[in-house]
Each structure stands twice: as structure tokens, then as C-alpha cells.
Amino acid sequence: MKRVFKLGILLGMLFSAFTMAHAAAADCKISGTVTDSISGEAIPFVTVGVENRDGKVLTRVASDVDGNFTATAAAGNRYTLVISSVGYATHRVEVSIEPGERTKALGNLTLTEGTELSEVTVVAQRPLIKSDIDKITYDMEADPEATSNNALDMLRKVPMITVDAEENIRLNGQSNYKVLLNGKSSAIMSGDNLKEVLKSMPASSIKNIEVITNPSSKYEAEGVGGIINIVTVSRRDSNGIVGSVGANADNRGGFGGNIYLSSQIGKFAFSGRYSGSRYTNGHGGRSKAFSETYGSDEFNHSAGYGKSRFEGLGHNLSIEASYEIDTLNLISFSAFGWLGNNKSNSNLDYTYYNRANNISSQYQSLSRSSSDYGSVSGTLDYQRSFAKKDRTLTASYQFEYNPNNTDYTTESNGLINWDSYIERSKNKAHGTEQTVQIDYFDPLTEMHQIEAGAKYIMRCNVSDGNRTQSLWDEPTDTWSDVLLPVNDLDYTQHILGLYAGYVLKIKKWSGKVGARLESTWNDGRTTNHNAEGGTQETRFDNDFFNVVPYVTLSWQPREMQTVKLSYTQRLSRPGIWQLNPFKDTSTPMQVTYGNPNLDSEISHTFSLGYTLFTATGMSLAAELNGRVQNNGIEQTIFMDENGIANVTYDNIGRVREGKLNVFFSGNVLPTLNLYTNLSGGYGDYSSARAGYSNKGWDYNGFLGARWNAWKDGAISANLGYYSGFRMLVGTTAPFAFCGFSVSQSFFNKRLQVNLSASDPFSKERKFVMHIKNDDYRIDSYNYNPCQYVRLGITYSFGQMKSAVKKARRSINNDDLKSGGSGAGSGTTGGMGGSGSGSGM
């Protein structure tokens, strides 16, 4: 509370400083009404800029719906009002304000229809978000802080997205969602790799982020929380090469760099971007975990204390190109590659106690691990346009290859009733994915639109590993090697989907209905190799067929306001790690395995949303969401008589939840911008079969301010608080964070320098998990370093004009039950499991 109090004082001092600066000079209110020169009718949402004698814009305001505006300027000076609106020629008005004059009424000011293309200047501030019939888009290019932060940092500002203390990402409170890159699926954008990829991706490489909480029928039906689509920047220039270079470093030892180039030669356009980074948690984090097994006398309760440190390297490369055969035929190609390497070291001291509180077992372990993983994908699109505007037929093919290799060593030193051993494991795995898709879109009339398409996906996953263990033999004082059970995986999945949708627009109303038919065939085979050299093959095949409806209704009561109501059904197919029956015993006192009999979980989702935008860039978005689920796939844990934790999965989850999300951004003063991202709601999570129950309220909020304190310079501050997240098997603890930054531009804003500090009042951040049912209790505490200072530099060159053309419809495989970086976070401490040998 003292730290939060100090932060409040600091923010208050900043606010008071710039408030007094604005109040120092006596201001005059300049008012007027803007009308059409011919009809005499008021022109709504006109942009009015106030310039000084040097031509510098001091402030910009927007008129209301009746054309009325009010701007303020210091008395005793001469100014020029620059009045502009889409479809009208810009009008300039000279204004002289006498010393001591408090009001200046200009009366009626007229604009004449027409444009002066050679002198057009965009003067309206771009809004940070905009709302479409089925998504909300955050404009990253309109956010000045994107020039110095990475993609994960900026996600905290996006509506309906939260990032917790361990950098786990949630969409609309859900860890089950899908992340697309330029509308295309990638295996690297899921699982624990997601946050590492986003750390290595500079936010300046992102054009916008689309949040789709109720995806329409053209998207795959999977992903309960919805879809996050990251659209990267792709520009071209008609007269040469444009681009940018950037670099950053922090006091933990992390650093990164990026380069972007774009060009066009005739009908061929190209853009490419590379970025690389090193990330680390500095001196490392620490953890402690306590458990109690009510039914065991020998292993009744335990205590574990650990330390860990990690570092990693990430490289990503993206390429986009297009060739415009003629005005009706377009070929476009895109490729994305990401390669990462992660190394970690951890120490663990663990002690088990019997019911009499005497030590029954004790050991120390040192683990070293490294992993190499990546993704290479390419998409080829052919788009056929027609004489009718926006009517298109698109054919697409996508291929993706995902290697994933792991190598770990665990040295266990038995102290009391525990065998000393050294265990080594290597696993080589890779996955391939091929997708063929056809999409057709036809705006039949201004009122009617139709869309339809078909998609086929084939995924193949292969895993091949080996494990050995060296046991210490006391009589001979030597190590003896033995083979451990390993699992080889060969898994193929086929998905066929058909969809159709219809849009009706009547004046201020629009509606969209559709349905998607999906059929899935899974063909899985695991081969278990035991320590004696024998093998046992297990097959797990299952099929799914789902009909997924979708409906949304949108109403615009007035310009720049939208109200929408949506319903859709979402499903999540079980992932391979949840189906594979191989029992992984690589973690002491834990065995982890999948359940081949899982069904797809089905959720019914409802949403009611409202958005409001103004010409000055003020944005307000609110959305109320509800979800009903009866067969959720959940991780379950039960203790056997030896105190071994069995971790597996089952369709046991029941969910009833409602959440409200509110986002606001706008200038409260000409040089001061405030933005908030708030959410909260009530959730009821239960399982009658497993005996779990967890319900209650949760809420979180993010508040930020940016003050353009001087020419081409700004100060930013932000504060966030999360009450913790509820899940079926546990609740996380609340936490708060804050940050500050100072930025300065040079050379006509081509060079950007930013210095930022995160959590200056806290050296580490605590993450707590409590899990309890009738059989056991687990309490875990993780402490991760959070304090850092980062310096970033970006330089842009060339002049950006137009974008590499892309097909309007392309592949986006938004399926598989994935939790982004939050997947599988229901267990902590010794309950996580490495998943070694279980494949992709």
C-alpha cells in the first residue's frame, strides 16, 4: 500500500505540474459554428486547428453534431484557425485576440464542397480503437509508445486483453484463445512460446491488433475466448526504398534490434522485416510450494524451495510480396519464420513429512535444460476480382513446418530415503501443416452481402526421444546407467470445414448470420519403449462433427456510435498433449499423461457491445460478455497412496460467467492523453465429478497517461492492478505494477529515443496459486524480478506511401485448444510436468 500511495503522490504531482503550466497564462475561448456554404446546414465533427504565427499547431478540437466548436488560446496574440472536414476544401481564418480578452465569438463560418488534393493535410487525431460488426481493432501506429516497446508490453493496453504477473495472456478472461499473424495461424503463436515471440517482436512492426471475441462463421469454431489477430506493417514506396532500424537494451542484460525494408518495382511490391533479441530474468527468480495429501500417512505434507534463472534468444523474419497481374488479378505471397533458443537452470530443495511431522523423504535437485524451437510458414494467395466492387474469389495454400527439440539433465541428490540419480532426456519433434482454402464474397446490393468458403487442413506431428538414468550404487561407489521408458509419437489430424454467411444492411441497422460445418478425423499412434527394450504400441483415434451457428446485430444510432449484440458457439478440440496416453515420470513425485477419450468442449458465448468515437480521437468501448459451458477440458490431479501426483485431463468443467470490459482513450487537455482498460465480472466454475468448486468476483484495470511536455518530447506513466484470476482448480493472488517513460524525437521525428522504467518501487513480483479439494491442498508462491530500465532507439528513412497489396481473404487456422502462454497454468511448483516425450 505504501508503494501504491507513493505512486499516487507522484502521479498527482505530475498532474498538478502540467495543470499549473496550462493555467499560468490567461486563456481566451474562441467559438463558432461551421456550416455548408450552399445548404447552410451544420457540418458535424469538423476539425478545427489553432496555429500560432510560426505555423505550429497549438491545439485541435472537433465540432459537435451541430457544427459548434470551442477552442482556447492565450490572449494578446494573433492566430490562424485551420478548419477542415472530409469532402470540403480547407478554410483558414485569421483571428486576433486582444490582451485580457476572454471570449471571441466568430459566428457562422462556412466550408465549400470540394478537395484540394495537392495540399491535403490530415489534421484529425487518429483514434486508438475502432469497432466493426464483429471485432475491435487497436491501432498500434496511432500509439506513440509503440516506437519503444515490444509487442507483449503493448498488449496490456488492448481492450479485453490482460497480461498477468507471469506474463500469461488472457482474452476476455480466458486462457483458451487463438493468436493469428496477419490472419494466418502459426504453431509458434501458441503455448509457452507465445510470450517469448511477442517479447522479441518490436511493437513498431505491428500495424494493429484485432480482438474478435465472437468470431463469425468464416473462422474456425475453436478458441473459447476468441481470436487475437496481429497485423504487421507492410508498406511500399513508388520511388525507392523505405525502412527503419531500431535497437534496445535493458539493465538485466537483455537487448534487441530490428530492421525493416520495403520497395516497389512496377507491379511487384515487397517488404521484409527482421528482429532479434536476447531476454533474461536477470539474477533469477525464486519459488516455494507447500502441499498436503489428506489420505497419505507417509507423504502427508511437503515443502519445497527453489531458484531458477533463464535466458533466451529469439529471431523472427517476415516477408510479404505481391504481383498485380492486372486490375482484376492479384498474386500475393507471405512468409514468416521464427527461431528461438531457451536455456534455464533451477535448484530445488524438497522435503516430505509423515502425519507425525517427521521427515519421510528429502532430496536436492539441479536441473539444466535447453530447447530449440521455431516455425517456418508460407502462404500463396490468388485473388480474382470482378467488375462489381468488392466481389472477390480467393484461393489459398499454406504450408508450415515447426521443429521443437528439447534436452534436459536433472541431478538429484538423495538426502533421506531418496535415491541419488542423474537423468538425461533428449526429444526431437516436429510438426507440419498444410491448408487449402477457397473463399467467395459478393456484395449483391448495398443491402445484401453473401460469403462462403471451404477449407481442408492436414496436420502431422512426430516425436522421437530417449531417456537415460544414472543411479548411484553405494557398495561399488559408481554410477550405473539404465534406460527409462520413452514415448514416440505419430499423430495426424484431418479437418474439413464449410461455411456460409449473409449480411443485411438497412439504414442504421446491419445483421450477420452464418453457420459452419466442421468434421475432424484424428489418427494417433504412440509407441512406448520400456527399460527392458520392449515396445508397446497404442492407437487413439477419434472423430468429431460440429455445426456452429453465428448471429450478430449492429445498430448505429448516430454517426461514430455503434451498438451490437452477438451470439456464437465455440468449441475446442483436445490438443495432442491432452490426448497422448504416455505416462511421463520425468518430474519427481509426479506422473503426467493424456486422455485419448476426450471430447471437444463446447461453449455458448453472448456479447453486448457499445462503441463511441469522436473526430478528436476520443474512443470509448464497452462490452458485456457471457459464457455457458458444460463439458470443459480441465487438468485434474489426484494423489495415489505413495503421494505421487497424477496429472491428466477430463471433460469435467462447468462454467457460468459474465464479464464487463471498458476501454477509454482521449485528450483531457490538448497535450495530455489518458487511457484506461478496465474489466471485471463474476464466474462460477465447478465439477461435480471431481469435487471442485470455485466462484466469485474478479476485476483488473490499467490506467495510463501521456503528456506532450515539450516539442517532440513526452512523458508517460501507467499503473495496473489485477485482483487475480479464478479457475476450476485454483485462484491466483492479486498484484499491481507501474511504469514510466520519457521519449524524444529528433531530425523531423525520424530518430526516436525512449528511456523507460518498469516497477521502480518493487524488485520482484509475487505470483500465488492456491488449489484445494477433498483429497489434497497445494499452495505455491513464485517471485520473479520485475524491475528494469530500458533504452530504445529507432531511426526511420524514406517516405512511406502505400501498402503491399494482399488478398482480402486468406488462411487463418484458429483451431486447437490452446491457452497462449497461460495454458496449463493450473498447476505450479512440482505439479507442472515437463511433458518430455509427448511431442507437439
Side-chain angles (χ1 to χ4, degrees), residues 172-243:
N172 196 26
Q174 302 301 315
S175 60
N176 181 12
Y177 53 87
K178 190 67 176 180
V179 179
L180 306 178
L181 185 67
N182 294 319
K184 304 172 182 66
S185 176
S186 174
I188 206 66
M189 285 291 185
S190 63
D192 291 333
N193 297 334
L194 176 62
K195 57 185 176 184
E196 313 305 346
V197 175
L198 294 178
K199 285 180 185 178
S200 72
M201 181 181 292
S204 59
S205 69
I206 300 175
K207 180 180 180 181
N208 55 56
I209 296 179
E210 299 173 347
V211 178
I212 312 171
T213 54
N214 289 86
S216 67
S217 55
K218 72 178 180 180
Y219 298 99
E220 254 70 45
E222 294 213 338
V224 171
I227 295 171
I228 301 172
N229 184 28
I230 299 175
V231 181
T232 57
V233 175
S234 60
R235 298 186 175 97
R236 66 180 181 181
D237 188 81
S238 300
N239 302 303
I241 297 176
V242 298

Side-chain angles (χ1 to χ4, degrees), residues 256-273:
N258 62 86
I259 182 171
Y260 169 77
L261 294 173
S262 180
S263 185
Q264 181 184 7
I265 303 174
K267 295 182 177 181
F268 176 78
F270 166 86
S271 71
R273 180 183 294 276

Side-chain angles (χ1 to χ4, degrees), residues 28 92 98 114 190 238 256 293 325 335 425 458 536 560 578 602 614 631 645 778 789 798 800:
C28 174
R92 304 175 73 88
E98 299 298 327
S190 63
S238 300
T293 306
I325 302 173
S425 173
M458 182 177 71
Q536 179 182 1
M560 308 179 92
Q578 297 166 323
I602 297 176
T614 70
N631 69 333
I778 301 172
V789 177
M800 300 176 179

Side-chain angles (χ1 to χ4, degrees), residues 516-530:
R516 187 177 189 90
L517 282 70
E518 288 190 351
S519 186
T520 306
W521 303 271
N522 295 318
D523 181 10
R525 182 175 69 253
T526 65
T527 303
N528 297 335
H529 304 272
N530 58 37

